[in-house]
Amino acid sequence: MNTYVVNRYNVPTPGATAQLITFDDATVRQFTAFNKNTKVMFMSVTEGGVFMTVDGSTPTNSNHHKLYAGNNYYFNSDLISQAKFLRDPNNTGNALIYASELTN
């Protein structure tokens, strides 16, 4: 089995600011540009679940990775720079992703 080990001692990327994506409709969203020194994104999903794709396709009911509300996720910043996000269509409320840029 292959694994990707994230440095547990990452620190905030100097000069980077946190990003927030609010999902209040069925619009596909992406994060904006990242600081060039960012290695990892620490993301928290709140209020409702979110669908994510990382292959350039649009998230749908049959094509997605689901990020669950109440969970935190670490992802490589290169991966997240390509990611597309969509509020889970089964969620009638809003969803939020709050992301911090980290480096080591």
Side-chain angles (χ1 to χ4, degrees), residues 4-11 40 74 102-104:
Y4 173 71
V5 178
V6 175
N7 180 352
R8 295 182 306 159
Y9 305 106
N10 288 311
V11 296
V40 176
Y74 277 101
L102 306 176
T103 192
N104 46 23

Side-chain angles (χ1 to χ4, degrees), residues 2-23:
N2 291 328
T3 61
Y4 173 71
V5 178
V6 175
N7 180 352
R8 295 182 306 159
Y9 305 106
N10 288 311
V11 296
T13 303
T17 56
Q19 297 187 43
L20 175 69
I21 297 179
T22 301
F23 300 87

Side-chain angles (χ1 to χ4, degrees), residues 23 48-51 61 64 66-68 86-93 95:
F23 300 87
V50 176
F51 291 172
N61 274 326
H64 66 271
K66 184 163 182 181
L67 306 181
Y68 291 90
L86 176 71
R87 180 181 68 184
D88 180 345
N90 299 311
N91 174 26
T92 57

Side-chain angles (χ1 to χ4, degrees), residues 70-87:
N71 289 333
N72 298 315
Y73 300 90
Y74 277 101
F75 288 108
N76 176 287
S77 61
D78 291 335
L79 181 79
I80 294 303
S81 70
Q82 303 300 312
K84 293 182 181 181
F85 300 94
L86 176 71
R87 180 181 68 184

